[in-house]
Amino acid sequence: MLALSLAALLVLCAVQRIPMADALVYRAEGSAVVTGRDLYGFTVTEWRLPATYPPFAAILFVPTTWLPLGILKAVFVAGNAALLTLLVWLSCRFAGLRATFPAVCAASAAALWLEPVFQTLLFGQINLALACLVLWDLTRAPGAVGKGFALGIAAGVKLTPAAFILYLLVTRRVREGLTGLAAFAGTVLLGALALPAASVEFWTRRMFETGRVGKAWIVDNQSLQGLVARTLGDPSPGLAWAVPAAAVAVAGLWLARRVPDDRWGILVTAVTALLVSPISWSHHWVWCVPLIGVLVAEGRLRLAAGVAVLFTARTMWLVPHQGDLDLRLPWWQQPLASPYPLVGLVLLSLVPELRGTVSAWLPDQRAVRSVLGQQNVRVVKDPQDDEEQTATRDHVLRDNL
């Protein structure tokens, strides 16, 4: 089944002559490192795409210059297909599902057609690689040597994964969070040593130029800013976006801190980061894969099917989106243009109900029994608990770790 899905994708790429634009940008970044060209002074492809990642990422892209363009595209397709299979396997482990080889292959064949995954392969993006790096690190055993290091590397390539380092810190896993910060600092230092001028330019200027990445109001952008801009018909919503984004960031981190299940804490962090980021292209939402896995593991099959349909439907591409039509959509087309931020907001509002109470979570005897079968349970201690409750809770924590 997986082979058939990949074959269908390859035929589609050949017929449509997919340019894999992002892979071309990565190749140009690697070439700039090798030749000494201005890293942030060029554009490539017919869409005039610039380099937008930190200098450390450009260093990692140097090997893309070693291959002819046709072979490079084939490597990106094959590599992303393999990474999708790895992400499905990691998602099964993350959710507590049995990851047999036939099941992983079948799930990967289906996941290939989820819009964020499909777009990642078509563009030659690195979203699957970063998601695998983050999910692998976060699902390692507590206290594992170097846990948090991979998060720092991912954040050094693309800044958004830094949200997971913050998650470790707010959930009081200070050593792991500091390891992530140290690894991230190491990527910045390496970039500064290899590309000093580019590093100064990026960290003092380019990282703040969100418009350089692309137009925030087009339907491609499935962040909260894109939702607000299209709803208001304003290409620069300013405080109308910044204030809700700040509120969502605070609420998301609070919720991730309070929810007693690490699976939902990690998913809440991922969704929060995607919502508050100024630009979250639709292919950034590959976190729908572990989300669906967790819903299936918890027996919420209808909800899992609904989420899968939503991330497969591609409704944002069905509405008018040429030129500035994105800013002139009628009210009934607005949900179709912004499905991912809407489902993200709904998810954040439903997490307390999905996981039971959050801020007032009291692990009495019935609550303890209800979490015995859960994995990665993070206990939130109540200082007023008596000694018997505390001993029982500690026993549950050891069993689930």
Side-chain angles (χ1 to χ4, degrees):
M1 186 180 295
L2 179 57
L4 289 176
S5 282
L6 286 173
L9 174 65
L10 291 176
V11 170
L12 180 62
C13 290
V15 171
Q16 296 294 325
R17 296 183 179 179
I18 303 300
M20 298 187 72
D22 289 327
L24 299 182
V25 176
Y26 302 152
R27 191 169 191 252
E29 291 185 40
S31 177
V33 174
V34 173
T35 62
R37 185 173 52 164
D38 182 4
L39 180 58
Y40 300 106
F42 67 82
T43 58
V44 294
T45 77
E46 60 185 281
W47 300 281
R48 302 182 62 81
L49 300 175
T52 58
Y53 293 172
F56 174 71
I59 298 172
L60 297 182
F61 294 147
V62 167
T64 62
T65 64
W66 302 343
L67 299 174
L69 186 56
I71 296 178
L72 177 65
K73 290 182 178 181
V75 168
F76 262 90
V77 171
N80 270 325
L83 286 168
L84 173 60
T85 304
L86 176 60
L87 180 61
V88 169
W89 180 80
L90 288 170
S91 298
C92 289
R93 187 177 73 167
F94 173 64
L97 294 169
R98 186 182 178 190
T100 63
F101 182 75
V104 169
C105 288
S108 299
L112 184 64
W113 301 97
L114 294 168
E115 192 270 348
V117 175
F118 185 80
Q119 293 289 89
T120 292
L121 270 76
L122 291 190
F123 285 121
Q125 257 283 344
I126 59 172
N127 304 303
L128 291 170
L130 295 179
C132 286
L133 201 60
V134 169
L135 199 56
W136 170 78
D137 203 3
L138 289 173
T139 54
R140 297 172 69 200
V145 176
K147 185 172 182 178
F149 182 83
L151 288 181
I153 299 299
V157 175
K158 198 171 185 176
L159 299 179
T160 309
F164 295 98
I165 300 177
L166 186 58
Y167 169 70
L168 291 177
L169 294 175
V170 299
T171 53
R172 299 180 182 178
R173 284 167 279 194
V174 177
R175 185 178 67 177
E176 297 169 0
L178 291 179
T179 300
L181 284 177
F184 173 67
T187 67
V188 176
L189 178 60
L190 180 59
L193 292 175
L195 302 167
S199 294
V200 171
E201 183 177 0
F202 179 82
W203 296 109
T204 63
R205 178 184 170 193
R206 298 300 185 183
M207 69 174 294
F208 304 106
E209 296 177 350
T210 55
R212 175 184 174 84
V213 181
K215 298 180 179 66
W217 44 267
I218 59 178
V219 296
D220 309 51
N221 182 21
Q222 292 291 301
S223 72
L224 193 60
Q225 179 175 211
L227 168 65
V228 172
R230 289 186 292 272
T231 301
L232 299 180
D234 185 352
S236 302
L239 290 177
W241 158 71
V243 173
V248 169
V250 172
L253 283 174
W254 178 86
L255 188 58
R257 167 69 181 90
R258 298 297 298 172
V259 70
D261 189 333
D262 240 358
R263 294 177 301 185
W264 283 102
I266 291 169
L267 289 174
V268 165
T269 302
V271 170
T272 300
L274 289 165
L275 286 172
V276 304
S277 175
I279 290 182
S280 292
W281 301 130
S282 67
H283 51 75
H284 292 170
W285 286 78
V286 292
W287 281 89
C288 63
V289 175
L291 170 60
I292 294 171
V294 169
L295 291 173
V296 170
E298 295 189 348
R300 305 178 190 276
L301 300 184
R302 291 184 180 178
L303 185 55
V307 171
V309 169
L310 183 142
F311 279 98
T312 306
R314 296 160 168 77
T315 59
M316 74 283 289
W317 308 119
L318 300 179
V319 301
H321 58 275
Q322 300 296 326
D324 64 348
L325 293 178
D326 315 59
L327 292 172
R328 292 184 281 148
L329 297 173
W331 66 267
W332 62 272
Q333 290 183 348
Q334 292 294 340
L336 300 176
S338 306
Y340 301 170
L342 288 176
V343 77
L345 292 172
V346 170
L347 177 67
L348 293 184
S349 66
L350 289 180
V351 165
E353 181 179 342
L354 291 173
R355 301 307 309 144
T357 56
V358 176
S359 59
W361 187 71
L362 297 178
D364 57 19
Q365 295 297 327
R366 288 176 298 175
V368 167
R369 295 190 193 100
S370 71
V371 301
L372 281 175
Q374 296 176 1
Q375 293 188 344
N376 300 323
V377 174
R378 186 178 68 253
V379 173
V380 181
K381 292 188 177 182
D382 186 334
Q384 296 182 353
D385 285 347
D386 59 30
E387 294 181 0
E388 180 181 356
Q389 289 177 320
T390 301
T392 304
R393 191 169 56 246
D394 290 343
H395 175 70
V396 172
L397 177 60
R398 286 195 300 271
D399 285 349
N400 284 280
L401 295 178

